[in-house]
Amino acid sequence: MRRGEGTMIRLTVVLLTIASVARTGVCTRLPYSTHYDYIDVDQVLNNSRLYTKYFECLMGQGKCTPEAKELRDKLPEALQTNCGICSERQAKESHKVIRFLINQRPEDFKMLEAKYDPSGLYMKRYQEEMKLNGAFS
């Protein structure tokens, strides 16, 4: 496995935080593994081959590495819990990914949003949080 491939797990953290950085409510579950927190998310976002591989996995259109499958499997829960059991780094990196998708890959973002947030609930929460933090227009 290449060093950047595991990074997409934070794209759970991609759409994960379509939810929000803020943790709302108390969660009794164990936090997500921080095993891949050392990976540079920018490397994946800026590497077309890696980015495409993970995007296709998330969309159910391609083969998944074990890391990408874990991301795909954890994403719905992370959205539902507003990233409530994400590490601080995962939450921070997920916002980076969301900003990247919105600004650099808007069509991909729309497809991911349609698949993982068809009602718009999580995106609305994310936008509200970003407005409160002055980080989203």
Side-chain angles (χ1 to χ4, degrees):
M1 174 176 77
R2 292 180 188 245
R3 183 178 175 106
E5 289 180 359
T7 305
M8 285 306 271
I9 286 203
R10 251 98 48 94
L11 289 178
T12 299
V13 209
V14 154
L15 303 159
L16 277 183
T17 16
I18 288 180
S20 172
V21 168
R23 289 170 173 52
T24 57
V26 176
C27 188
T28 58
R29 295 192 39 141
L30 293 174
Y32 295 122
S33 171
T34 58
H35 181 74
Y36 300 104
D37 280 9
Y38 69 89
I39 298 171
D40 182 3
V41 172
D42 292 316
Q43 181 181 7
V44 173
L45 296 176
N46 295 307
N47 181 314
S48 182
R49 185 185 62 80
L50 288 175
Y51 173 87
T52 299
K53 189 174 187 178
Y54 280 91
F55 177 78
E56 289 174 351
C57 173
L58 287 172
M59 293 302 297
Q61 300 170 345
K63 290 187 177 182
C64 298
T65 62
E67 298 81 12
K69 183 182 181 313
E70 182 177 341
L71 167 63
R72 187 186 66 199
D73 293 347
K74 299 288 185 198
L75 186 56
E77 177 187 55
L79 287 169
Q80 287 178 347
T81 63
N82 201 25
C83 209
I85 57 176
C86 296
S87 70
E88 291 296 320
R89 180 168 170 91
Q90 290 166 348
K92 178 183 171 195
E93 294 296 316
S94 67
H95 283 277
K96 179 190 292 186
V97 171
I98 292 169
R99 283 189 305 273
F100 173 85
L101 289 168
I102 290 170
N103 295 321
Q104 304 296 321
R105 303 269 187 142
E107 292 304 314
D108 290 354
F109 181 79
K110 287 178 188 175
M111 290 190 293
L112 289 166
E113 186 177 25
K115 181 173 178 87
Y116 291 96
D117 188 20
S119 68
L121 174 66
Y122 308 123
M123 187 60 187
K124 182 179 178 187
R125 253 194 272 162
Y126 171 76
Q127 288 173 331
E128 289 171 359
E129 180 64 27
M130 293 297 92
K131 284 179 185 176
L132 287 174
N133 291 325
F136 192 77
S137 54

